Coordinates of all heavy atoms in Angstrom, one line a residue:
P94 N 6.0 -12.5 -6.6 CA 6.7 -13.1 -5.5 C 7.3 -12.1 -4.7 O 7.7 -11.1 -5.0 CB 7.7 -14.0 -6.3 CG 8.1 -13.3 -7.5 CD 6.8 -12.7 -7.9
T95 N 7.4 -12.4 -3.4 CA 8.2 -11.5 -2.5 C 9.6 -11.6 -3.0 O 10.1 -12.6 -3.5 CB 8.1 -12.0 -1.0 OG1 8.6 -13.1 -0.8 CG2 6.6 -11.9 -0.6
L96 N 10.4 -10.8 -2.5 CA 11.9 -10.7 -2.7 C 12.5 -12.0 -2.1 O 13.3 -12.7 -2.7 CB 12.6 -9.5 -2.0 CG 14.0 -9.4 -2.2 CD1 14.5 -9.5 -3.7 CD2 14.6 -8.2 -1.5
Q97 N 12.0 -12.5 -0.9 CA 12.4 -13.6 -0.3 C 12.3 -14.8 -1.2 O 13.1 -15.7 -1.4 CB 11.8 -13.7 1.1 CG 12.3 -15.0 1.8 CD 11.6 -14.9 3.3 OE1 10.8 -14.2 3.6 NE2 12.1 -15.9 4.1
E98 N 11.1 -15.0 -1.8 CA 10.8 -16.0 -2.6 C 11.5 -16.0 -3.9 O 11.9 -17.1 -4.5 CB 9.2 -16.0 -3.0 CG 8.3 -16.3 -1.7 CD 6.8 -15.9 -1.9 OE1 6.6 -15.2 -2.9 OE2 6.0 -16.5 -1.2
A99 N 11.7 -14.8 -4.5 CA 12.2 -14.6 -5.7 C 13.8 -15.1 -5.5 O 14.4 -15.6 -6.4 CB 12.2 -13.2 -6.2
L100 N 14.4 -14.6 -4.5 CA 15.8 -14.8 -4.2 C 16.1 -16.4 -4.0 O 17.1 -17.0 -4.3 CB 16.4 -14.2 -3.0 CG 16.6 -12.8 -3.2 CD1 16.9 -12.0 -1.9 CD2 17.6 -12.3 -4.3
A101 N 15.0 -17.2 -3.5 CA 15.1 -18.6 -3.3 C 15.5 -19.3 -4.5 O 16.1 -20.4 -4.5 CB 14.0 -19.1 -2.5
T102 N 14.9 -18.9 -5.7 CA 15.1 -19.6 -6.9 C 15.8 -18.8 -8.1 O 16.0 -19.3 -9.1 CB 13.6 -19.9 -7.5 OG1 13.0 -18.7 -7.7 CG2 12.9 -20.9 -6.4
A103 N 16.3 -17.7 -7.6 CA 17.0 -16.9 -8.6 C 18.4 -17.3 -8.9 O 19.1 -17.9 -8.1 CB 17.0 -15.4 -8.1
S104 N 18.8 -17.0 -10.2 CA 20.1 -17.2 -10.6 C 20.9 -16.2 -9.8 O 20.4 -15.1 -9.3 CB 20.4 -17.0 -12.1 OG 20.3 -15.7 -12.5
R105 N 22.3 -16.2 -9.9 CA 23.1 -15.3 -9.3 C 23.0 -14.0 -9.8 O 22.9 -12.9 -9.1 CB 24.6 -15.8 -9.4 CG 25.6 -14.8 -8.7 CD 27.0 -15.4 -8.8 NE 28.0 -14.5 -8.2 CZ 28.3 -14.3 -7.0 NH1 27.8 -15.0 -6.1 NH2 29.3 -13.4 -6.7
A106 N 22.9 -13.9 -11.1 CA 22.8 -12.6 -11.8 C 21.4 -11.9 -11.5 O 21.4 -10.7 -11.3 CB 22.9 -12.8 -13.4
T107 N 20.3 -12.7 -11.5 CA 19.1 -12.2 -11.1 C 19.1 -11.7 -9.7 O 18.6 -10.8 -9.2 CB 18.0 -13.2 -11.4 OG1 17.9 -13.6 -12.7 CG2 16.6 -12.8 -10.8
G108 N 19.7 -12.6 -8.8 CA 19.9 -12.1 -7.4 C 20.5 -10.8 -7.3 O 20.1 -9.9 -6.4
V109 N 21.6 -10.5 -8.0 CA 22.3 -9.3 -7.9 C 21.4 -8.2 -8.4 O 21.4 -7.1 -7.7 CB 23.5 -9.4 -8.9 CG1 24.2 -8.0 -9.1 CG2 24.6 -10.2 -8.1
R110 N 20.7 -8.4 -9.6 CA 19.7 -7.3 -10.0 C 18.7 -7.0 -8.9 O 18.3 -5.9 -8.6 CB 19.1 -7.8 -11.3 CG 20.0 -7.6 -12.4 CD 19.3 -7.7 -13.8 NE 18.5 -9.0 -13.9 CZ 19.1 -10.0 -14.3 NH1 20.3 -10.2 -14.7 NH2 18.3 -11.2 -14.5
L111 N 18.1 -8.1 -8.2 CA 17.1 -7.9 -7.2 C 17.7 -7.0 -6.0 O 17.1 -6.2 -5.4 CB 16.5 -9.1 -6.7 CG 15.6 -9.8 -7.9 CD1 15.3 -11.2 -7.3 CD2 14.4 -8.9 -8.0
A112 N 19.0 -7.4 -5.6 CA 19.7 -6.6 -4.6 C 19.9 -5.2 -4.8 O 19.8 -4.4 -4.1 CB 21.0 -7.4 -4.2
E113 N 20.2 -5.0 -6.2 CA 20.4 -3.7 -6.7 C 19.1 -2.9 -6.6 O 19.1 -1.7 -6.3 CB 21.0 -3.6 -8.0 CG 22.4 -4.0 -8.1 CD 23.0 -4.2 -9.5 OE1 22.2 -4.4 -10.4 OE2 24.2 -4.3 -9.7
A114 N 18.0 -3.5 -7.0 CA 16.6 -2.9 -6.9 C 16.2 -2.6 -5.5 O 15.7 -1.5 -5.3 CB 15.6 -3.8 -7.7
A115 N 16.6 -3.4 -4.5 CA 16.3 -3.1 -3.2 C 17.1 -1.9 -2.6 O 16.5 -1.1 -2.0 CB 16.7 -4.4 -2.3
A116 N 18.4 -1.9 -3.0 CA 19.2 -0.7 -2.7 C 18.5 0.5 -3.3 O 18.6 1.6 -2.5 CB 20.5 -0.9 -3.0
D117 N 18.2 0.4 -4.5 CA 17.6 1.6 -5.1 C 16.4 2.1 -4.6 O 16.2 3.4 -4.3 CB 17.3 1.2 -6.7 CG 16.9 2.4 -7.5 OD1 17.6 3.5 -7.4 OD2 15.7 2.4 -8.1
L118 N 15.5 1.2 -4.2 CA 14.3 1.5 -3.4 C 14.5 2.4 -2.2 O 14.0 3.3 -1.9 CB 13.4 0.3 -3.2 CG 12.2 0.6 -2.5 CD1 11.2 1.5 -3.1 CD2 11.5 -0.8 -2.0
V119 N 15.5 1.8 -1.4 CA 16.0 2.4 -0.1 C 16.5 3.8 -0.3 O 16.0 4.8 0.4 CB 16.9 1.6 0.7 CG1 17.4 2.3 1.9 CG2 16.3 0.3 1.2
V120 N 17.3 3.9 -1.4 CA 17.8 5.4 -1.6 C 16.7 6.2 -2.1 O 16.8 7.4 -1.7 CB 18.9 5.2 -2.8 CG1 19.2 6.6 -3.3 CG2 20.1 4.4 -2.3
R121 N 15.9 5.9 -2.9 CA 14.6 6.7 -3.5 C 13.8 7.1 -2.3 O 13.4 8.2 -2.2 CB 13.9 6.0 -4.4 CG 14.8 5.8 -5.8 CD 14.0 5.4 -7.0 NE 13.7 4.0 -6.9 CZ 12.6 3.4 -6.8 NH1 11.5 4.1 -7.0 NH2 12.5 2.0 -6.7
L122 N 13.5 6.2 -1.3 CA 12.7 6.5 -0.2 C 13.4 7.6 0.6 O 12.7 8.6 1.1 CB 12.5 5.2 0.6 CG 11.4 4.3 0.2 CD1 11.5 2.8 0.9 CD2 10.1 4.8 0.1
R123 N 14.7 7.3 0.9 CA 15.4 8.4 1.6 C 15.5 9.8 1.0 O 15.3 10.8 1.6 CB 16.9 7.9 1.9 CG 17.0 6.6 2.8 CD 16.5 6.9 4.2 NE 17.3 7.8 4.9 CZ 17.5 8.0 6.1 NH1 17.0 7.2 6.9 NH2 18.4 9.0 6.5
A124 N 15.6 9.6 -0.3 CA 15.7 11.0 -1.1 C 14.3 11.8 -0.9 O 14.3 13.0 -1.1 CB 16.0 10.7 -2.5
A125 N 13.4 11.0 -0.8 CA 12.0 11.5 -0.6 C 11.7 11.8 0.9 O 10.5 12.3 1.3 CB 11.0 10.5 -1.1
G126 N 12.7 11.7 1.7 CA 12.5 12.0 3.1 C 11.8 11.0 4.0 O 11.2 11.2 5.0
L127 N 11.8 9.8 3.4 CA 11.1 8.6 4.1 C 12.0 7.6 4.6 O 13.1 7.4 4.1 CB 10.1 7.9 3.3 CG 9.0 9.0 2.7 CD1 8.3 8.2 1.6 CD2 8.2 9.4 3.8
V128 N 11.7 6.8 5.6 CA 12.5 5.7 6.1 C 11.6 4.5 6.3 O 10.4 4.7 7.1 CB 13.1 6.0 7.6 CG1 13.7 4.9 8.2 CG2 14.1 7.2 7.6
A129 N 11.9 3.4 5.7 CA 11.2 2.2 5.8 C 11.8 1.3 6.9 O 12.8 0.7 6.7 CB 11.0 1.5 4.5
R130 N 11.2 1.4 8.2 CA 11.9 0.7 9.3 C 11.7 -0.8 9.4 O 12.2 -1.5 10.1 CB 11.2 1.3 10.6 CG 11.8 2.7 10.7 CD 11.3 3.5 11.9 NE 10.4 2.9 12.8 CZ 9.8 3.4 13.8 NH1 10.0 4.7 14.0 NH2 9.0 2.8 14.5
D131 N 10.8 -1.3 8.3 CA 10.6 -2.8 8.4 C 10.8 -3.2 6.8 O 10.1 -4.0 6.3 CB 9.2 -3.0 8.8 CG 9.0 -4.5 9.1 OD1 10.0 -5.1 9.5 OD2 7.9 -5.0 9.2
C132 N 11.8 -2.8 6.3 CA 12.2 -3.0 4.9 C 13.0 -4.4 4.9 O 14.1 -4.4 5.1 CB 13.0 -2.0 4.3 SG 13.1 -2.2 2.5
K133 N 12.4 -5.5 4.6 CA 12.9 -6.8 4.6 C 12.4 -7.6 3.5 O 11.3 -7.3 2.9 CB 12.8 -7.5 5.9 CG 11.4 -7.8 6.4 CD 11.2 -8.2 7.8 CE 9.8 -8.3 8.3 NZ 9.7 -8.6 9.6
P134 N 13.1 -8.7 3.0 CA 12.7 -9.4 1.9 C 11.2 -9.8 1.9 O 10.5 -9.8 0.8 CB 13.5 -10.7 1.8 CG 14.9 -10.1 2.5 CD 14.3 -9.1 3.6
P135 N 10.5 -10.3 3.0 CA 9.1 -10.6 2.9 C 8.2 -9.6 2.6 O 7.0 -9.7 2.2 CB 8.9 -11.3 4.3 CG 10.1 -11.7 4.7 CD 11.1 -10.6 4.3
N136 N 8.7 -8.2 2.9 CA 7.8 -7.1 2.7 C 8.0 -6.3 1.4 O 7.6 -5.3 1.2 CB 8.1 -6.1 3.8 CG 7.6 -6.5 5.2 OD1 6.8 -7.4 5.2 ND2 8.1 -6.1 6.3
L137 N 8.9 -7.0 0.5 CA 9.1 -6.5 -0.7 C 8.7 -7.4 -1.8 O 8.9 -8.6 -1.8 CB 10.6 -6.2 -1.0 CG 11.2 -5.2 -0.2 CD1 12.7 -5.2 -0.1 CD2 10.7 -3.8 -0.3
V138 N 7.9 -7.0 -2.9 CA 7.3 -7.8 -3.9 C 8.2 -7.4 -5.2 O 8.1 -6.1 -5.6 CB 5.8 -7.7 -4.0 CG1 5.4 -8.3 -5.3 CG2 5.1 -8.1 -2.8
A139 N 8.5 -8.4 -5.9 CA 9.1 -8.2 -7.2 C 8.2 -8.0 -8.2 O 7.3 -8.7 -8.5 CB 10.0 -9.4 -7.6
A140 N 8.1 -6.7 -8.9 CA 7.3 -6.4 -10.0 C 7.9 -6.9 -11.3 O 9.1 -7.1 -11.3 CB 7.2 -4.9 -10.1
S141 N 7.0 -7.4 -12.1 CA 7.5 -8.0 -13.4 C 7.8 -6.8 -14.5 O 7.0 -6.8 -15.4 CB 6.4 -9.0 -14.0 OG 5.2 -8.3 -14.1
T142 N 8.9 -6.2 -14.2 CA 9.3 -5.0 -15.1 C 10.7 -5.2 -15.3 O 11.4 -6.0 -14.7 CB 9.0 -3.7 -14.3 OG1 9.9 -3.7 -13.2 CG2 7.7 -3.4 -14.1
S143 N 11.2 -4.6 -16.3 CA 12.6 -4.5 -16.6 C 13.0 -3.0 -16.8 O 12.5 -2.4 -17.6 CB 12.9 -5.4 -18.0 OG 14.3 -5.3 -18.1
P144 N 14.0 -2.7 -16.1 CA 14.7 -3.3 -15.0 C 13.9 -3.8 -13.8 O 13.0 -3.2 -13.6 CB 15.9 -2.3 -14.5 CG 15.2 -1.0 -14.9 CD 14.2 -1.2 -16.1
A145 N 14.6 -4.6 -13.1 CA 13.9 -5.1 -11.8 C 13.4 -4.0 -11.0 O 14.2 -3.0 -10.6 CB 14.9 -6.0 -11.2
R146 N 12.2 -4.1 -10.5 CA 11.7 -3.0 -9.6 C 11.0 -3.9 -8.4 O 10.6 -5.0 -8.5 CB 10.7 -2.3 -10.2 CG 11.1 -1.3 -11.1 CD 11.5 0.0 -10.5 NE 11.8 0.9 -11.5 CZ 12.2 2.1 -11.4 NH1 12.4 2.5 -10.0 NH2 12.6 3.0 -12.2
L147 N 11.2 -3.3 -7.2 CA 10.6 -3.8 -6.0 C 9.4 -2.9 -5.5 O 9.6 -1.7 -5.6 CB 11.6 -4.1 -4.9 CG 12.7 -5.2 -5.3 CD1 13.6 -5.2 -4.1 CD2 12.0 -6.6 -5.5
V148 N 8.3 -3.6 -4.9 CA 7.4 -2.8 -4.4 C 7.3 -3.1 -2.8 O 7.2 -4.2 -2.5 CB 5.9 -3.1 -4.9 CG1 4.8 -2.3 -4.4 CG2 6.1 -3.0 -6.5
L149 N 7.3 -1.9 -2.0 CA 7.2 -2.2 -0.6 C 5.7 -2.3 -0.2 O 4.9 -1.5 -0.6 CB 7.8 -0.9 0.2 CG 7.7 -0.9 1.6 CD1 8.6 -2.0 2.1 CD2 8.3 0.5 2.1
V150 N 5.5 -3.5 0.4 CA 4.0 -3.8 0.6 C 3.6 -3.5 2.1 O 2.4 -3.6 2.3 CB 3.7 -5.2 0.1 CG1 3.8 -5.4 -1.4 CG2 4.4 -6.2 0.8
D151 N 4.5 -3.4 3.0 CA 4.1 -3.1 4.4 C 4.6 -1.8 4.8 O 5.8 -1.4 5.0 CB 5.0 -4.2 5.2 CG 4.6 -4.1 6.8 OD1 3.8 -3.1 7.3 OD2 5.0 -4.9 7.5
L152 N 3.5 -0.9 4.8 CA 3.6 0.4 5.1 C 3.6 0.9 6.5 O 3.7 2.1 6.9 CB 2.9 1.3 4.1 CG 3.0 1.1 2.7 CD1 2.0 2.0 1.9 CD2 4.4 1.2 2.2
D153 N 3.3 -0.1 7.3 CA 3.1 0.4 8.8 C 4.2 1.1 9.4 O 3.9 2.0 10.2 CB 2.8 -1.0 9.6 CG 1.5 -1.5 9.2 OD1 0.6 -0.9 8.6 OD2 1.3 -2.9 9.5
D154 N 5.4 0.8 9.1 CA 6.6 1.5 9.7 C 7.2 2.4 8.8 O 8.6 2.8 9.0 CB 7.5 0.3 10.2 CG 7.2 -0.3 11.5 OD1 6.5 0.4 12.2 OD2 7.4 -1.6 11.6
L155 N 6.6 2.9 7.8 CA 7.2 4.0 7.0 C 7.0 5.3 7.7 O 5.9 5.7 8.0 CB 6.3 4.0 5.6 CG 6.9 4.8 4.5 CD1 8.3 4.3 4.1 CD2 5.9 4.9 3.3
R156 N 8.1 6.1 7.8 CA 8.0 7.2 8.5 C 8.8 8.4 7.8 O 9.8 8.0 7.0 CB 8.8 7.0 10.0 CG 8.3 6.0 10.9 CD 6.9 6.4 11.5 NE 6.4 5.4 12.5 CZ 5.5 4.6 12.2 NH1 4.9 4.6 10.9 NH2 5.0 3.8 13.0
R157 N 8.5 9.5 8.1 CA 9.4 10.7 7.7 C 10.8 10.5 8.4 O 10.7 10.5 9.6 CB 8.6 11.9 7.9 CG 7.5 12.2 7.1 CD 7.7 13.2 6.0 NE 6.5 13.2 5.1 CZ 6.6 13.2 3.9 NH1 7.9 13.0 3.3 NH2 5.7 13.4 3.0
A158 N 11.7 11.0 7.6 CA 13.0 11.1 8.2 C 13.3 12.3 9.1 O 12.6 13.3 8.6 CB 14.2 10.9 7.1
R159 N 14.0 12.2 10.1 CA 14.3 13.4 10.8 C 15.1 14.4 9.9 O 15.8 14.0 9.1 CB 15.0 13.1 12.1 CG 14.2 12.3 13.1 CD 14.9 12.2 14.3 NE 15.2 10.8 14.6 CZ 16.2 10.2 15.3 NH1 16.9 11.1 16.0 NH2 16.3 9.0 15.5
A160 N 14.9 15.7 10.1 CA 15.6 16.7 9.5 C 17.1 16.3 9.6 O 17.7 16.0 10.4 CB 15.4 18.1 10.1
G161 N 17.7 16.5 8.3 CA 19.1 16.4 8.2 C 19.5 14.8 8.1 O 20.8 14.6 7.8
R162 N 18.6 14.0 7.9 CA 18.9 12.5 7.8 C 18.6 11.9 6.6 O 18.8 10.8 6.3 CB 18.0 11.8 8.9 CG 18.3 12.2 10.3 CD 19.4 11.5 11.1 NE 19.6 10.2 10.8 CZ 19.4 9.1 11.7 NH1 19.0 9.5 13.0 NH2 19.8 8.0 11.4
A163 N 18.3 12.8 5.5 CA 17.9 12.3 4.3 C 19.3 11.9 3.6 O 20.3 12.4 4.0 CB 17.3 13.3 3.4
A164 N 19.2 11.1 2.6 CA 20.4 10.5 2.0 C 21.3 11.5 1.3 O 20.7 12.2 0.5 CB 20.1 9.3 1.1
A165 N 22.3 11.7 1.7 CA 23.3 12.7 1.1 C 23.6 12.3 -0.3 O 23.9 11.2 -0.5 CB 24.7 12.8 1.9
G166 N 23.5 13.2 -1.2 CA 23.8 13.0 -2.7 C 22.8 12.3 -3.4 O 23.0 11.9 -4.6
A167 N 21.7 11.8 -2.8 CA 20.6 11.3 -3.6 C 19.9 12.2 -4.4 O 19.1 13.0 -3.8 CB 19.8 10.4 -2.6
T168 N 20.2 12.3 -5.7 CA 19.5 13.2 -6.5 C 18.5 12.6 -7.4 O 17.6 13.4 -8.0 CB 20.6 13.8 -7.4 OG1 21.2 12.9 -8.2 CG2 21.5 14.7 -6.5
K169 N 18.5 11.3 -7.6 CA 17.6 10.8 -8.6 C 16.3 10.3 -7.9 O 16.3 9.4 -7.0 CB 18.1 9.7 -9.3 CG 17.3 8.9 -10.4 CD 18.0 7.7 -11.0 CE 17.1 6.5 -10.7 NZ 17.5 5.3 -11.0
L170 N 15.1 10.9 -8.1 CA 13.9 10.4 -7.4 C 13.0 10.0 -8.6 O 12.4 10.8 -9.2 CB 13.3 11.5 -6.6 CG 12.1 11.1 -5.9 CD1 12.2 9.8 -5.0 CD2 11.5 12.4 -5.1
S171 N 12.9 8.7 -8.8 CA 11.9 8.3 -9.9 C 10.7 7.8 -9.1 O 10.5 8.0 -7.9 CB 12.6 7.1 -10.8 OG 13.0 6.1 -10.0
L172 N 9.9 7.2 -9.8 CA 8.6 6.6 -9.2 C 8.7 5.8 -8.1 O 9.6 4.8 -8.2 CB 7.7 6.0 -10.3 CG 6.5 5.4 -9.9 CD1 5.6 6.5 -9.4 CD2 5.8 4.7 -11.0
I173 N 8.2 6.0 -7.0 CA 8.5 5.1 -5.9 C 7.2 4.2 -5.9 O 6.0 4.7 -5.7 CB 8.5 6.0 -4.5 CG1 9.8 6.8 -4.5 CG2 8.5 5.0 -3.2 CD1 9.9 7.8 -3.3
H174 N 7.4 2.9 -5.9 CA 6.2 2.0 -5.8 C 6.0 1.6 -4.4 O 6.6 0.6 -3.9 CB 6.7 0.8 -6.6 CG 7.0 1.0 -8.1 ND1 6.1 1.1 -9.0 CD2 8.2 1.2 -8.7 CE1 6.6 1.4 -10.2 NE2 7.8 1.5 -9.9
I175 N 5.1 2.3 -3.9 CA 4.6 2.0 -2.5 C 3.1 2.0 -2.4 O 2.4 2.5 -3.3 CB 5.2 3.0 -1.4 CG1 4.9 4.4 -1.7 CG2 6.7 2.7 -1.3 CD1 5.3 5.4 -0.6

């Protein structure tokens, strides 16, 4: 399901985990020097993993960040599901 669909039926705890997964995805993209300019719930698919992971499915607006704009302090770069 997309993040939008998952949130519509999710419990509060699951919604929090999905929101954390969305934030984690954005941080990992920024750490990799990328900006997802169209990162919204319909463009994120919830993967059936634990912990919750989201997959960015609309890559049309994925861009390299301008120099000096990468997330400060983002040191953990794990697998980016794109």
